[in-house]
Amino acid sequence: MADERSDERNAEPDSTAVRVALWRAMHVQVDPPPHVLDDEIGLRLVAPEDDWRARGDMDPRATARYRAGIVARARFVEDLVVEQAGHGVGQYVILGAGLDTFAQRRPEIAARLRVFEIDRPGPQAWKRRRLTELGFGVPDGLRLVPVDFEHPKAGGSWWERLSAAGFDADRPAVVASTGVSMYLTKDANEATLRQLASLAPGSTLAMTFQPPLDLLEEEERPGRLAVEKNACASGTPFISFFTPREILALARAAGFADARHVSAALLNERYFAGRTDGLRTSNGEELLVAIT
């Protein structure tokens, strides 16, 4: 009975994935247009209580920077995927996919790709069920790849599971890893980068990373400390932080042919310039783009 209860708990999406989905919906509901990302499908998947916007972590003003960061990183990755699909790249891999809704929101692009969503078995089974209940289903081009990260020997590593799902390592791909690196050790991040650097030439990785506290804008530091405290209390502490120089060095040492840093300033210039509401992201999370 205990094992059954454990399986049931593990079948729910984790709190971070839910929060990201709700923040994406909040952007549409509380921020004036133009919207950086139009995504309320994640909200439909979660189906929270009617008063979900009254949650403490949904306060429109207090969480504005985080909300902006979430939609900016998602939009950046999607723009990259669209660009690469236009160049003939036919595979898109999402590590730690959570409640990602690219395949449902952008079917015209997804139809030209094979999309692989990698996540833990329980939450992924839950997502498959919800997609079916909402009428989206799981089209053949969308491969949900369950991976037991805690016990990889039980079902194979994520790389083995990805290959078994039909990923062609001899053809280029776009790989996205957002909101993951801070939960991994430096060694685990290095191992992941080395694995991805072995992808076919012309492949692209978009990966978020969190800079150390002393590199954050001063007004952002209390918020980071509070988020770190909550993450630790939830059993998912932040472990790894990287300066832009460090993450670029890791990517190049892993074997990528080229790597660049996408700063918060660049994201603000691209997606938030000219807004009258002051919405913008912070440098609490930035991006690495690396090419094989």
Side-chain angles (χ1 to χ4, degrees), residues 191-210:
T192 299
L193 287 169
R194 285 196 301 271
Q195 185 73 75
L196 294 172
S198 71
L199 288 168
S203 296
T204 306
L205 166 67
M207 169 182 162
T208 59
F209 67 94
Q210 296 211 1

Side-chain angles (χ1 to χ4, degrees), residues 195-248:
Q195 185 73 75
L196 294 172
S198 71
L199 288 168
S203 296
T204 306
L205 166 67
M207 169 182 162
T208 59
F209 67 94
Q210 296 211 1
L213 188 67
D214 60 353
L215 290 189
L216 267 60
E217 300 163 24
E218 190 168 350
E219 65 269 24
E220 298 299 322
R221 295 176 188 177
R224 159 70 77 78
L225 291 172
V227 169
E228 285 188 52
K229 182 178 179 180
N230 290 338
C232 190
S234 300
T236 54
F238 289 7
I239 299 172
S240 294
F241 304 94
F242 301 99
T243 67
R245 179 175 294 181
E246 287 171 339
I247 201 70
L248 290 172

Side-chain angles (χ1 to χ4, degrees), residues 31-198:
D31 297 323
H35 295 124
V36 176
L37 192 79
D38 189 347
D39 181 15
E40 293 183 281
I41 293 177
L43 172 63
R44 294 174 62 191
L45 287 170
V46 175
E49 298 294 332
D50 290 343
D51 64 348
W52 67 272
R53 281 174 49 171
R55 288 173 39 157
D57 58 358
M58 291 296 124
D59 181 272
R61 180 171 295 181
T63 65
R65 291 286 185 93
Y66 297 105
R67 186 169 69 248
I70 291 298
V71 297
R73 79 186 191 190
R75 174 65 182 276
F76 179 87
V77 171
E78 290 194 12
D79 286 351
L80 179 63
V81 171
V82 172
E83 173 192 325
Q84 291 301 305
H87 294 158
V89 174
Q91 300 182 111
Y92 175 30
V93 180
I94 309 171
L95 300 178
L99 297 174
D100 190 271
T101 59
F102 171 79
Q104 291 76 46
R105 290 179 299 99
R106 304 296 302 273
E108 76 288 357
I109 303 298
R112 297 156 51 190
L113 299 166
R114 186 166 287 181
V115 181
F116 300 87
E117 293 190 10
I118 298 178
D119 208 344
R120 293 183 296 117
Q124 197 162 79
W126 178 94
K127 184 177 182 181
R128 181 186 293 274
R129 175 175 61 80
R130 289 295 293 142
L131 287 172
T132 300
E133 290 172 351
L134 291 173
F136 292 107
V138 181
D140 184 60
L142 174 60
R143 307 294 174 87
L144 302 181
V145 186
V147 175
D148 188 341
F149 294 104
E150 294 179 359
H151 306 96
K153 292 182 179 179
S157 69
W158 67 268
W159 185 255
E160 293 168 338
R161 296 287 294 173
L162 181 61
S163 297
F167 180 78
D168 187 347
D170 293 326
R171 298 176 66 85
V174 176
V175 179
S177 176
T178 59
V180 175
S181 66
M182 67 277 201
Y183 297 116
L184 304 178
T185 64
K186 182 179 179 180
D187 287 346
N189 277 299
E190 289 177 335
T192 299
L193 287 169
R194 285 196 301 271
Q195 185 73 75
L196 294 172
S198 71

